[in-house]
């Protein structure tokens, strides 16, 4: 069974730590502190050249966090902007 699954698996995308432009959500999570407040979101993205990148969604970006947490529609596949924050960490912002 595993051999058959391996035959159907595509190439693993390159993981990049530097990116800009558009990025589409592959997966995500939201991190909460002990008091229940959002600390930040984390998204795994696909870049236009099909690489993978990990990006943060800062706690102050309420619109993007609301998009991630919307229970009526999945954010997977949605597109936003990849930017580099002042600390050098990639961030993702919903368009």
């Amino acid at each position: 069974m595993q051999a058959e699954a391996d035959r159907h698996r595509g190439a693993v995308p390159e993981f990049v730590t530097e990116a800009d432009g558009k990025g589409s959500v592959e997966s995500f999570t939201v991190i909460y502190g002990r008091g229940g407040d959002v600390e930040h979101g984390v998204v795994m993205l696909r870049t236009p050249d099909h690489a993978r990148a990990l990006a943060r969604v800062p706690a102050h970006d309420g619109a993007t966090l609301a998009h991630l947490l919307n229970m009526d529609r999945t954010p997977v596949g949605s597109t936003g902007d990849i930017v580099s924050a002042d600390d050098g960490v990639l961030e993702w912002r919903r368009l």
Side-chain angles (χ1 to χ4, degrees), residues 28-30 32 38 62-73 75:
F28 71 96
T29 191
V30 176
Y32 293 87
V38 171
T64 300
L65 288 167
H67 174 70
L68 294 178
L69 295 170
N70 182 347
M71 298 300 287
D72 294 325
R73 182 174 176 171

Side-chain angles (χ1 to χ4, degrees), residues 6-71:
D6 290 342
R7 279 194 307 276
H8 293 288
R9 183 179 322 169
V12 176
E14 176 187 11
F15 182 81
V16 297
T17 58
E18 295 179 3
D20 61 7
K22 304 295 180 212
S24 299
V25 176
E26 279 194 318
S27 63
F28 71 96
T29 191
V30 176
I31 309 298
Y32 293 87
R34 290 180 185 234
D37 294 329
V38 171
E39 289 188 5
H40 63 276
V42 179
V43 289
M44 183 63 72
L45 303 167
R46 278 296 184 100
T47 66
D49 61 353
H50 306 290
R52 278 198 174 121
L54 189 67
R56 166 179 66 200
V57 177
H60 63 78
D61 188 348
T64 300
L65 288 167
H67 174 70
L68 294 178
L69 295 170
N70 182 347
M71 298 300 287

